Amino acid sequence: MATDYYDLLGVSRNASDEDIKRAYRKLARELHPDANPDDANAHERFKEVTVAYETLRDAERRRRYDMFGPDAARGAGAGAGDPFGQGFGLGDIFDAFFGGNGGGFGARQRGPLRGQDMELVLDLAFEQAVFGVRREINLRAPAPCATCSGSGAKPGTYPQQCTGCGGSGEVRRVRQSLLGQVVTASPCPKCGGSGQEVVDACVDCRGEGRRTEDKVYEVDVPAGVDDGTQLRLPGRGAAGPRGGPPGDLYLHIRVRPHPRFARQGQDLVAEVRVTFAQAALGTHVKFEALDGEEDLVVPAGTQHGRVFALRGRGVPSAHGRSAGDLLVQVVVETPTDLSKEEQDLLRRFAEIRGEDVAPADSGFLSRIRSAFK
């Protein structure tokens, strides 16, 4: 292999990065094995110019090459050979430099076109999202024409090979570029890429092979979906034209809020209200959970804000894992509008505990209120 990488690429030693890239892409198009399947010499030269390009495009490897030669430049960065990996084709080189489609060298799907994907918003109650539900949805979408069975052709006739593309489904054009002749491919405008054309069109679908209809589907919404979840129903979208495969249907879940429960991931969060006396002395509270009544034990001395976790009583996982927890937070309610007897009892209670409270003199309370006006 020649050791002068600049000579291999046909550039000077002070060539810019852009000059080196331009020179390499020209040589790569000329020497790539895909363009020279029977020329072993071209294959070897392609590998040589690739090693040269890989060395000179990297600033550090280029510096080491200029100072010490090719041996010093090896081992830093990518290895020799095809820099793009095994199986990298001629069209891929075009992609690497221009971000294009290889000028039509890549394979393109032929045959009837796929139908469009469709979207619907599905509103769910909070409980339905947590536990799952079977819902009926209505969709207006293109469906295969019953008259022509989706072919688009008049009954008794059949689609024929497209005369515009010869059945390939695409048309190719050759144009000149800086790299020489470039072949571009695009779907045939006459058959839409299917490779077939309808001579005698079905009168009901006008050759489209599909008609817009109202459909009703039953959908099983899994337990644990959340607001914003997207469900994909394969093949439930619009039918493709002239027998093409259908698209998919996407359901966007929208969950209505609950007056008592909120959701934090897989956990449910709620509040239980108790009086001062119940929190101090303890009590049993009948708590209505989403899945039934729960006898919640509030021990004596429970503080405001304490959270009780009911394990496994939260939201089931949509992926089959264990359910979350039901987190119940205690809210201690302070009594208002106390009767005189209740006030006397509380003052007696405070006196026993040595706690200072406002005296019964209403004028004192009025003065306090005035101070904050």
Side-chain angles (χ1 to χ4, degrees), residues 227-254:
D227 190 74
T229 297
Q230 179 177 274
L231 301 179
R232 173 176 170 264
L233 305 181
R236 297 293 182 90
R242 298 181 185 175
D248 299 333
L249 174 61
Y250 290 88
L251 297 180
H252 300 278
I253 303 299
R254 186 165 58 190

mmCIF file with all atom_site columns, all heavy atoms in Angstrom, residues 227-254:
data_model
loop_
_atom_site.group_PDB
_atom_site.id
_atom_site.type_symbol
_atom_site.label_atom_id
_atom_site.label_alt_id
_atom_site.label_comp_id
_atom_site.label_asym_id
_atom_site.label_entity_id
_atom_site.label_seq_id
_atom_site.pdbx_PDB_ins_code
_atom_site.Cartn_x
_atom_site.Cartn_y
_atom_site.Cartn_z
_atom_site.occupancy
_atom_site.B_iso_or_equiv
_atom_site.pdbx_formal_charge
_atom_site.auth_seq_id
_atom_site.auth_comp_id
_atom_site.auth_asym_id
_atom_site.auth_atom_id
_atom_site.pdbx_PDB_model_num
ATOM 1   N N   . ASP A 1 227 ? -53.676 9.210  32.919 1.00 0.00 ? 227 ASP A N   1
ATOM 2   C CA  . ASP A 1 227 ? -53.981 10.313 32.024 1.00 0.00 ? 227 ASP A CA  1
ATOM 3   C C   . ASP A 1 227 ? -52.788 10.547 31.101 1.00 0.00 ? 227 ASP A C   1
ATOM 4   O O   . ASP A 1 227 ? -51.646 10.667 31.552 1.00 0.00 ? 227 ASP A O   1
ATOM 5   C CB  . ASP A 1 227 ? -54.268 11.582 32.840 1.00 0.00 ? 227 ASP A CB  1
ATOM 6   C CG  . ASP A 1 227 ? -54.835 12.693 31.989 1.00 0.00 ? 227 ASP A CG  1
ATOM 7   O OD1 . ASP A 1 227 ? -56.002 12.607 31.608 1.00 0.00 ? 227 ASP A OD1 1
ATOM 8   O OD2 . ASP A 1 227 ? -54.098 13.658 31.716 1.00 0.00 ? 227 ASP A OD2 1
ATOM 9   N N   . GLY A 1 228 ? -53.041 10.571 29.790 1.00 0.00 ? 228 GLY A N   1
ATOM 10  C CA  . GLY A 1 228 ? -51.967 10.741 28.819 1.00 0.00 ? 228 GLY A CA  1
ATOM 11  C C   . GLY A 1 228 ? -51.438 9.443  28.246 1.00 0.00 ? 228 GLY A C   1
ATOM 12  O O   . GLY A 1 228 ? -50.628 9.455  27.313 1.00 0.00 ? 228 GLY A O   1
ATOM 13  N N   . THR A 1 229 ? -51.878 8.290  28.784 1.00 0.00 ? 229 THR A N   1
ATOM 14  C CA  . THR A 1 229 ? -51.452 6.999  28.235 1.00 0.00 ? 229 THR A CA  1
ATOM 15  C C   . THR A 1 229 ? -51.947 6.860  26.795 1.00 0.00 ? 229 THR A C   1
ATOM 16  O O   . THR A 1 229 ? -53.049 7.279  26.456 1.00 0.00 ? 229 THR A O   1
ATOM 17  C CB  . THR A 1 229 ? -52.001 5.845  29.082 1.00 0.00 ? 229 THR A CB  1
ATOM 18  O OG1 . THR A 1 229 ? -51.462 5.929  30.399 1.00 0.00 ? 229 THR A OG1 1
ATOM 19  C CG2 . THR A 1 229 ? -51.617 4.498  28.487 1.00 0.00 ? 229 THR A CG2 1
ATOM 20  N N   . GLN A 1 230 ? -51.141 6.266  25.948 1.00 0.00 ? 230 GLN A N   1
ATOM 21  C CA  . GLN A 1 230 ? -51.521 6.016  24.560 1.00 0.00 ? 230 GLN A CA  1
ATOM 22  C C   . GLN A 1 230 ? -51.606 4.519  24.316 1.00 0.00 ? 230 GLN A C   1
ATOM 23  O O   . GLN A 1 230 ? -50.669 3.781  24.598 1.00 0.00 ? 230 GLN A O   1
ATOM 24  C CB  . GLN A 1 230 ? -50.508 6.656  23.606 1.00 0.00 ? 230 GLN A CB  1
ATOM 25  C CG  . GLN A 1 230 ? -50.819 6.430  22.123 1.00 0.00 ? 230 GLN A CG  1
ATOM 26  C CD  . GLN A 1 230 ? -49.842 7.142  21.212 1.00 0.00 ? 230 GLN A CD  1
ATOM 27  O OE1 . GLN A 1 230 ? -50.019 8.311  20.889 1.00 0.00 ? 230 GLN A OE1 1
ATOM 28  N NE2 . GLN A 1 230 ? -48.787 6.458  20.800 1.00 0.00 ? 230 GLN A NE2 1
ATOM 29  N N   . LEU A 1 231 ? -52.734 4.054  23.812 1.00 0.00 ? 231 LEU A N   1
ATOM 30  C CA  . LEU A 1 231 ? -52.931 2.648  23.475 1.00 0.00 ? 231 LEU A CA  1
ATOM 31  C C   . LEU A 1 231 ? -52.920 2.495  21.961 1.00 0.00 ? 231 LEU A C   1
ATOM 32  O O   . LEU A 1 231 ? -53.586 3.253  21.248 1.00 0.00 ? 231 LEU A O   1
ATOM 33  C CB  . LEU A 1 231 ? -54.252 2.127  24.041 1.00 0.00 ? 231 LEU A CB  1
ATOM 34  C CG  . LEU A 1 231 ? -54.439 2.201  25.551 1.00 0.00 ? 231 LEU A CG  1
ATOM 35  C CD1 . LEU A 1 231 ? -55.817 1.656  25.940 1.00 0.00 ? 231 LEU A CD1 1
ATOM 36  C CD2 . LEU A 1 231 ? -53.349 1.432  26.283 1.00 0.00 ? 231 LEU A CD2 1
ATOM 37  N N   . ARG A 1 232 ? -52.193 1.507  21.480 1.00 0.00 ? 232 ARG A N   1
ATOM 38  C CA  . ARG A 1 232 ? -52.125 1.235  20.039 1.00 0.00 ? 232 ARG A CA  1
ATOM 39  C C   . ARG A 1 232 ? -52.931 -0.009 19.716 1.00 0.00 ? 232 ARG A C   1
ATOM 40  O O   . ARG A 1 232 ? -52.718 -1.069 20.305 1.00 0.00 ? 232 ARG A O   1
ATOM 41  C CB  . ARG A 1 232 ? -50.674 1.056  19.612 1.00 0.00 ? 232 ARG A CB  1
ATOM 42  C CG  . ARG A 1 232 ? -50.503 0.612  18.160 1.00 0.00 ? 232 ARG A CG  1
ATOM 43  C CD  . ARG A 1 232 ? -49.028 0.552  17.785 1.00 0.00 ? 232 ARG A CD  1
ATOM 44  N NE  . ARG A 1 232 ? -48.816 -0.072 16.501 1.00 0.00 ? 232 ARG A NE  1
ATOM 45  C CZ  . ARG A 1 232 ? -48.511 -1.354 16.317 1.00 0.00 ? 232 ARG A CZ  1
ATOM 46  N NH1 . ARG A 1 232 ? -48.372 -2.151 17.369 1.00 0.00 ? 232 ARG A NH1 1
ATOM 47  N NH2 . ARG A 1 232 ? -48.334 -1.842 15.101 1.00 0.00 ? 232 ARG A NH2 1
ATOM 48  N N   . LEU A 1 233 ? -53.858 0.133  18.766 1.00 0.00 ? 233 LEU A N   1
ATOM 49  C CA  . LEU A 1 233 ? -54.659 -0.991 18.298 1.00 0.00 ? 233 LEU A CA  1
ATOM 50  C C   . LEU A 1 233 ? -54.239 -1.299 16.867 1.00 0.00 ? 233 LEU A C   1
ATOM 51  O O   . LEU A 1 233 ? -54.670 -0.622 15.920 1.00 0.00 ? 233 LEU A O   1
ATOM 52  C CB  . LEU A 1 233 ? -56.152 -0.659 18.362 1.00 0.00 ? 233 LEU A CB  1
ATOM 53  C CG  . LEU A 1 233 ? -56.689 -0.206 19.720 1.00 0.00 ? 233 LEU A CG  1
ATOM 54  C CD1 . LEU A 1 233 ? -58.180 0.073  19.634 1.00 0.00 ? 233 LEU A CD1 1
ATOM 55  C CD2 . LEU A 1 233 ? -56.412 -1.253 20.788 1.00 0.00 ? 233 LEU A CD2 1
ATOM 56  N N   . PRO A 1 234 ? -53.386 -2.308 16.649 1.00 0.00 ? 234 PRO A N   1
ATOM 57  C CA  . PRO A 1 234 ? -52.871 -2.596 15.296 1.00 0.00 ? 234 PRO A CA  1
ATOM 58  C C   . PRO A 1 234 ? -54.004 -2.966 14.341 1.00 0.00 ? 234 PRO A C   1
ATOM 59  O O   . PRO A 1 234 ? -54.915 -3.721 14.683 1.00 0.00 ? 234 PRO A O   1
ATOM 60  C CB  . PRO A 1 234 ? -51.926 -3.779 15.529 1.00 0.00 ? 234 PRO A CB  1
ATOM 61  C CG  . PRO A 1 234 ? -51.601 -3.748 16.991 1.00 0.00 ? 234 PRO A CG  1
ATOM 62  C CD  . PRO A 1 234 ? -52.821 -3.207 17.658 1.00 0.00 ? 234 PRO A CD  1
ATOM 63  N N   . GLY A 1 235 ? -53.935 -2.414 13.145 1.00 0.00 ? 235 GLY A N   1
ATOM 64  C CA  . GLY A 1 235 ? -54.878 -2.782 12.102 1.00 0.00 ? 235 GLY A CA  1
ATOM 65  C C   . GLY A 1 235 ? -56.270 -2.214 12.257 1.00 0.00 ? 235 GLY A C   1
ATOM 66  O O   . GLY A 1 235 ? -57.165 -2.569 11.482 1.00 0.00 ? 235 GLY A O   1
ATOM 67  N N   . ARG A 1 236 ? -56.482 -1.324 13.220 1.00 0.00 ? 236 ARG A N   1
ATOM 68  C CA  . ARG A 1 236 ? -57.820 -0.752 13.421 1.00 0.00 ? 236 ARG A CA  1
ATOM 69  C C   . ARG A 1 236 ? -57.935 0.655  12.823 1.00 0.00 ? 236 ARG A C   1
ATOM 70  O O   . ARG A 1 236 ? -58.931 1.332  13.048 1.00 0.00 ? 236 ARG A O   1
ATOM 71  C CB  . ARG A 1 236 ? -58.135 -0.696 14.914 1.00 0.00 ? 236 ARG A CB  1
ATOM 72  C CG  . ARG A 1 236 ? -58.198 -2.063 15.593 1.00 0.00 ? 236 ARG A CG  1
ATOM 73  C CD  . ARG A 1 236 ? -59.361 -2.878 15.092 1.00 0.00 ? 236 ARG A CD  1
ATOM 74  N NE  . ARG A 1 236 ? -59.475 -4.168 15.757 1.00 0.00 ? 236 ARG A NE  1
ATOM 75  C CZ  . ARG A 1 236 ? -60.173 -4.388 16.854 1.00 0.00 ? 236 ARG A CZ  1
ATOM 76  N NH1 . ARG A 1 236 ? -60.825 -3.387 17.413 1.00 0.00 ? 236 ARG A NH1 1
ATOM 77  N NH2 . ARG A 1 236 ? -60.227 -5.585 17.389 1.00 0.00 ? 236 ARG A NH2 1
ATOM 78  N N   . GLY A 1 237 ? -56.929 1.082  12.079 1.00 0.00 ? 237 GLY A N   1
ATOM 79  C CA  . GLY A 1 237 ? -56.986 2.401  11.464 1.00 0.00 ? 237 GLY A CA  1
ATOM 80  C C   . GLY A 1 237 ? -57.658 2.344  10.106 1.00 0.00 ? 237 GLY A C   1
ATOM 81  O O   . GLY A 1 237 ? -58.491 1.472  9.828  1.00 0.00 ? 237 GLY A O   1
ATOM 82  N N   . ALA A 1 238 ? -57.302 3.266  9.223  1.00 0.00 ? 238 ALA A N   1
ATOM 83  C CA  . ALA A 1 238 ? -57.915 3.336  7.896  1.00 0.00 ? 238 ALA A CA  1
ATOM 84  C C   . ALA A 1 238 ? -57.404 2.208  7.010  1.00 0.00 ? 238 ALA A C   1
ATOM 85  O O   . ALA A 1 238 ? -56.227 1.833  7.053  1.00 0.00 ? 238 ALA A O   1
ATOM 86  C CB  . ALA A 1 238 ? -57.594 4.690  7.256  1.00 0.00 ? 238 ALA A CB  1
ATOM 87  N N   . ALA A 1 239 ? -58.315 1.648  6.198  1.00 0.00 ? 239 ALA A N   1
ATOM 88  C CA  . ALA A 1 239 ? -57.917 0.631  5.234  1.00 0.00 ? 239 ALA A CA  1
ATOM 89  C C   . ALA A 1 239 ? -57.042 1.271  4.170  1.00 0.00 ? 239 ALA A C   1
ATOM 90  O O   . ALA A 1 239 ? -57.211 2.442  3.807  1.00 0.00 ? 239 ALA A O   1
ATOM 91  C CB  . ALA A 1 239 ? -59.146 0.002  4.600  1.00 0.00 ? 239 ALA A CB  1
ATOM 92  N N   . GLY A 1 240 ? -56.079 0.515  3.656  1.00 0.00 ? 240 GLY A N   1
ATOM 93  C CA  . GLY A 1 240 ? -55.221 1.025  2.598  1.00 0.00 ? 240 GLY A CA  1
ATOM 94  C C   . GLY A 1 240 ? -55.951 1.044  1.272  1.00 0.00 ? 240 GLY A C   1
ATOM 95  O O   . GLY A 1 240 ? -56.888 0.268  1.043  1.00 0.00 ? 240 GLY A O   1
ATOM 96  N N   . PRO A 1 241 ? -55.568 1.927  0.363  1.00 0.00 ? 241 PRO A N   1
ATOM 97  C CA  . PRO A 1 241 ? -56.217 1.963  -0.953 1.00 0.00 ? 241 PRO A CA  1
ATOM 98  C C   . PRO A 1 241 ? -55.917 0.708  -1.765 1.00 0.00 ? 241 PRO A C   1
ATOM 99  O O   . PRO A 1 241 ? -54.821 0.151  -1.691 1.00 0.00 ? 241 PRO A O   1
ATOM 100 C CB  . PRO A 1 241 ? -55.620 3.211  -1.598 1.00 0.00 ? 241 PRO A CB  1
ATOM 101 C CG  . PRO A 1 241 ? -54.316 3.419  -0.904 1.00 0.00 ? 241 PRO A CG  1
ATOM 102 C CD  . PRO A 1 241 ? -54.515 2.934  0.502  1.00 0.00 ? 241 PRO A CD  1
ATOM 103 N N   . ARG A 1 242 ? -56.919 0.240  -2.495 1.00 0.00 ? 242 ARG A N   1
ATOM 104 C CA  . ARG A 1 242 ? -56.787 -0.905 -3.403 1.00 0.00 ? 242 ARG A CA  1
ATOM 105 C C   . ARG A 1 242 ? -56.171 -2.129 -2.739 1.00 0.00 ? 242 ARG A C   1
ATOM 106 O O   . ARG A 1 242 ? -55.206 -2.716 -3.222 1.00 0.00 ? 242 ARG A O   1
ATOM 107 C CB  . ARG A 1 242 ? -55.967 -0.515 -4.632 1.00 0.00 ? 242 ARG A CB  1
ATOM 108 C CG  . ARG A 1 242 ? -56.610 0.594  -5.456 1.00 0.00 ? 242 ARG A CG  1
ATOM 109 C CD  . ARG A 1 242 ? -55.778 0.934  -6.668 1.00 0.00 ? 242 ARG A CD  1
ATOM 110 N NE  . ARG A 1 242 ? -56.325 2.077  -7.386 1.00 0.00 ? 242 ARG A NE  1
ATOM 111 C CZ  . ARG A 1 242 ? -55.748 2.645  -8.438 1.00 0.00 ? 242 ARG A CZ  1
ATOM 112 N NH1 . ARG A 1 242 ? -54.600 2.162  -8.890 1.00 0.00 ? 242 ARG A NH1 1
ATOM 113 N NH2 . ARG A 1 242 ? -56.301 3.676  -9.031 1.00 0.00 ? 242 ARG A NH2 1
ATOM 114 N N   . GLY A 1 243 ? -56.715 -2.477 -1.586 1.00 0.00 ? 243 GLY A N   1
ATOM 115 C CA  . GLY A 1 243 ? -56.276 -3.687 -0.906 1.00 0.00 ? 243 GLY A CA  1
ATOM 116 C C   . GLY A 1 243 ? -55.053 -3.524 -0.038 1.00 0.00 ? 243 GLY A C   1
ATOM 117 O O   . GLY A 1 243 ? -54.506 -4.522 0.454  1.00 0.00 ? 243 GLY A O   1
ATOM 118 N N   . GLY A 1 244 ? -54.591 -2.292 0.158  1.00 0.00 ? 244 GLY A N   1
ATOM 119 C CA  . GLY A 1 244 ? -53.423 -2.074 1.004  1.00 0.00 ? 244 GLY A CA  1
ATOM 120 C C   . GLY A 1 244 ? -53.720 -2.391 2.460  1.00 0.00 ? 244 GLY A C   1
ATOM 121 O O   . GLY A 1 244 ? -54.873 -2.357 2.894  1.00 0.00 ? 244 GLY A O   1
ATOM 122 N N   . PRO A 1 245 ? -52.692 -2.708 3.246  1.00 0.00 ? 245 PRO A N   1
ATOM 123 C CA  . PRO A 1 245 ? -52.916 -3.052 4.661  1.00 0.00 ? 245 PRO A CA  1
ATOM 124 C C   . PRO A 1 245 ? -53.438 -1.850 5.437  1.00 0.00 ? 245 PRO A C   1
ATOM 125 O O   . PRO A 1 245 ? -53.137 -0.700 5.100  1.00 0.00 ? 245 PRO A O   1
ATOM 126 C CB  . PRO A 1 245 ? -51.526 -3.468 5.145  1.00 0.00 ? 245 PRO A CB  1
ATOM 127 C CG  . PRO A 1 245 ? -50.580 -2.772 4.208  1.00 0.00 ? 245 PRO A CG  1
ATOM 128 C CD  . PRO A 1 245 ? -51.267 -2.724 2.880  1.00 0.00 ? 245 PRO A CD  1
ATOM 129 N N   . PRO A 1 246 ? -54.228 -2.102 6.479  1.00 0.00 ? 246 PRO A N   1
ATOM 130 C CA  . PRO A 1 246 ? -54.777 -0.989 7.259  1.00 0.00 ? 246 PRO A CA  1
ATOM 131 C C   . PRO A 1 246 ? -53.728 -0.362 8.165  1.00 0.00 ? 246 PRO A C   1
ATOM 132 O O   . PRO A 1 246 ? -52.738 -0.995 8.529  1.00 0.00 ? 246 PRO A O   1
ATOM 133 C CB  . PRO A 1 246 ? -55.883 -1.645 8.078  1.00 0.00 ? 246 PRO A CB  1
ATOM 134 C CG  . PRO A 1 246 ? -55.412 -3.058 8.256  1.00 0.00 ? 246 PRO A CG  1
ATOM 135 C CD  . PRO A 1 246 ? -54.690 -3.402 6.977  1.00 0.00 ? 246 PRO A CD  1
ATOM 136 N N   . GLY A 1 247 ? -53.975 0.880  8.537  1.00 0.00 ? 247 GLY A N   1
ATOM 137 C CA  . GLY A 1 247 ? -53.136 1.538  9.525  1.00 0.00 ? 247 GLY A CA  1
ATOM 138 C C   . GLY A 1 247 ? -53.537 1.133  10.931 1.00 0.00 ? 247 GLY A C   1
ATOM 139 O O   . GLY A 1 247 ? -54.349 0.226  11.135 1.00 0.00 ? 247 GLY A O   1
ATOM 140 N N   . ASP A 1 248 ? -52.984 1.806  11.912 1.00 0.00 ? 248 ASP A N   1
ATOM 141 C CA  . ASP A 1 248 ? -53.271 1.515  13.316 1.00 0.00 ? 248 ASP A CA  1
ATOM 142 C C   . ASP A 1 248 ? -54.163 2.600  13.913 1.00 0.00 ? 248 ASP A C   1
ATOM 143 O O   . ASP A 1 248 ? -54.222 3.721  13.395 1.00 0.00 ? 248 ASP A O   1
ATOM 144 C CB  . ASP A 1 248 ? -51.967 1.420  14.119 1.00 0.00 ? 248 ASP A CB  1
ATOM 145 C CG  . ASP A 1 248 ? -51.060 0.309  13.610 1.00 0.00 ? 248 ASP A CG  1
ATOM 146 O OD1 . ASP A 1 248 ? -51.581 -0.670 13.046 1.00 0.00 ? 248 ASP A OD1 1
ATOM 147 O OD2 . ASP A 1 248 ? -49.824 0.441  13.765 1.00 0.00 ? 248 ASP A OD2 1
ATOM 148 N N   . LEU A 1 249 ? -54.809 2.254  14.996 1.00 0.00 ? 249 LEU A N   1
ATOM 149 C CA  . LEU A 1 249 ? -55.639 3.203  15.731 1.00 0.00 ? 249 LEU A CA  1
ATOM 150 C C   . LEU A 1 249 ? -54.960 3.486  17.065 1.00 0.00 ? 249 LEU A C   1
ATOM 151 O O   . LEU A 1 249 ? -54.618 2.560  17.805 1.00 0.00 ? 249 LEU A O   1
ATOM 152 C CB  . LEU A 1 249 ? -57.040 2.636  15.956 1.00 0.00 ? 249 LEU A CB  1
ATOM 153 C CG  . LEU A 1 249 ? -57.980 3.467  16.829 1.00 0.00 ? 249 LEU A CG  1
ATOM 154 C CD1 . LEU A 1 249 ? -58.225 4.841  16.226 1.00 0.00 ? 249 LEU A CD1 1
ATOM 155 C CD2 . LEU A 1 249 ? -59.308 2.727  17.038 1.00 0.00 ? 249 LEU A CD2 1
ATOM 156 N N   . TYR A 1 250 ? -54.780 4.759  17.368 1.00 0.00 ? 250 TYR A N   1
ATOM 157 C CA  . TYR A 1 250 ? -54.160 5.169  18.619 1.00 0.00 ? 250 TYR A CA  1
ATOM 158 C C   . TYR A 1 250 ? -55.215 5.833  19.507 1.00 0.00 ? 250 TYR A C   1
ATOM 159 O O   . TYR A 1 250 ? -55.886 6.780  19.078 1.00 0.00 ? 250 TYR A O   1
ATOM 160 C CB  . TYR A 1 250 ? -53.003 6.132  18.370 1.00 0.00 ? 250 TYR A CB  1
ATOM 161 C CG  . TYR A 1 250 ? -51.802 5.466  17.717 1.00 0.00 ? 250 TYR A CG  1
ATOM 162 C CD1 . TYR A 1 250 ? -51.699 5.376  16.336 1.00 0.00 ? 250 TYR A CD1 1
ATOM 163 C CD2 . TYR A 1 250 ? -50.785 4.913  18.494 1.00 0.00 ? 250 TYR A CD2 1
ATOM 164 C CE1 . TYR A 1 250 ? -50.609 4.747  15.744 1.00 0.00 ? 250 TYR A CE1 1
ATOM 165 C CE2 . TYR A 1 250 ? -49.695 4.299  17.908 1.00 0.00 ? 250 TYR A CE2 1
ATOM 166 C CZ  . TYR A 1 250 ? -49.607 4.214  16.537 1.00 0.00 ? 250 TYR A CZ  1
ATOM 167 O OH  . TYR A 1 250 ? -48.535 3.592  15.957 1.00 0.00 ? 250 TYR A OH  1
ATOM 168 N N   . LEU A 1 251 ? -55.352 5.318  20.720 1.00 0.00 ? 251 LEU A N   1
ATOM 169 C CA  . LEU A 1 251 ? -56.286 5.876  21.690 1.00 0.00 ? 251 LEU A CA  1
ATOM 170 C C   . LEU A 1 251 ? -55.504 6.682  22.719 1.00 0.00 ? 251 LEU A C   1
ATOM 171 O O   . LEU A 1 251 ? -54.597 6.152  23.380 1.00 0.00 ? 251 LEU A O   1
ATOM 172 C CB  . LEU A 1 251 ? -57.080 4.768  22.387 1.00 0.00 ? 251 LEU A CB  1
ATOM 173 C CG  . LEU A 1 251 ? -57.995 3.908  21.505 1.00 0.00 ? 251 LEU A CG  1
ATOM 174 C CD1 . LEU A 1 251 ? -58.708 2.869  22.356 1.00 0.00 ? 251 LEU A CD1 1
ATOM 175 C CD2 . LEU A 1 251 ? -59.001 4.772  20.765 1.00 0.00 ? 251 LEU A CD2 1
ATOM 176 N N   . HIS A 1 252 ? -55.850 7.938  22.878 1.00 0.00 ? 252 HIS A N   1
ATOM 177 C CA  . HIS A 1 252 ? -55.222 8.802  23.871 1.00 0.00 ? 252 HIS A CA  1
ATOM 178 C C   . HIS A 1 252 ? -56.149 8.866  25.092 1.00 0.00 ? 252 HIS A C   1
ATOM 179 O O   . HIS A 1 252 ? -57.279 9.345  25.009 1.00 0.00 ? 252 HIS A O   1
ATOM 180 C CB  . HIS A 1 252 ? -54.977 10.197 23.302 1.00 0.00 ? 252 HIS A CB  1
ATOM 181 C CG  . HIS A 1 252 ? -54.081 10.196 22.097 1.00 0.00 ? 252 HIS A CG  1
ATOM 182 N ND1 . HIS A 1 252 ? -52.705 10.154 22.191 1.00 0.00 ? 252 HIS A ND1 1
ATOM 183 C CD2 . HIS A 1 252 ? -54.356 10.204 20.773 1.00 0.00 ? 252 HIS A CD2 1
ATOM 184 C CE1 . HIS A 1 252 ? -52.174 10.146 20.982 1.00 0.00 ? 252 HIS A CE1 1
ATOM 185 N NE2 . HIS A 1 252 ? -53.150 10.185 20.105 1.00 0.00 ? 252 HIS A NE2 1
ATOM 186 N N   . ILE A 1 253 ? -55.665 8.349  26.209 1.00 0.00 ? 253 ILE A N   1
ATOM 187 C CA  . ILE A 1 253 ? -56.477 8.246  27.414 1.00 0.00 ? 253 ILE A CA  1
ATOM 188 C C   . ILE A 1 253 ? -56.542 9.579  28.138 1.00 0.00 ? 253 ILE A C   1
ATOM 189 O O   . ILE A 1 253 ? -55.516 10.220 28.378 1.00 0.00 ? 253 ILE A O   1
ATOM 190 C CB  . ILE A 1 253 ? -55.920 7.161  28.363 1.00 0.00 ? 253 ILE A CB  1
ATOM 191 C CG1 . ILE A 1 253 ? -55.856 5.814  27.637 1.00 0.00 ? 253 ILE A CG1 1
ATOM 192 C CG2 . ILE A 1 253 ? -56.775 7.056  29.614 1.00 0.00 ? 253 ILE A CG2 1
ATOM 193 C CD1 . ILE A 1 253 ? -57.180 5.287  27.168 1.00 0.00 ? 253 ILE A CD1 1
ATOM 194 N N   . ARG A 1 254 ? -57.758 9.978  28.491 1.00 0.00 ? 254 ARG A N   1
ATOM 195 C CA  . ARG A 1 254 ? -57.972 11.182 29.287 1.00 0.00 ? 254 ARG A CA  1
ATOM 196 C C   . ARG A 1 254 ? -58.822 10.794 30.501 1.00 0.00 ? 254 ARG A C   1
ATOM 197 O O   . ARG A 1 254 ? -59.949 10.324 30.348 1.00 0.00 ? 254 ARG A O   1
ATOM 198 C CB  . ARG A 1 254 ? -58.673 12.256 28.453 1.00 0.00 ? 254 ARG A CB  1
ATOM 199 C CG  . ARG A 1 254 ? -58.800 13.605 29.153 1.00 0.00 ? 254 ARG A CG  1
ATOM 200 C CD  . ARG A 1 254 ? -59.169 14.698 28.152 1.00 0.00 ? 254 ARG A CD  1
ATOM 201 N NE  . ARG A 1 254 ? -60.410 14.398 27.452 1.00 0.00 ? 254 ARG A NE  1
ATOM 202 C CZ  . ARG A 1 254 ? -60.859 15.094 26.396 1.00 0.00 ? 254 ARG A CZ  1
ATOM 203 N NH1 . ARG A 1 254 ? -60.131 16.092 25.913 1.00 0.00 ? 254 ARG A NH1 1
ATOM 204 N NH2 . ARG A 1 254 ? -62.000 14.783 25.814 1.00 0.00 ? 254 ARG A NH2 1
#
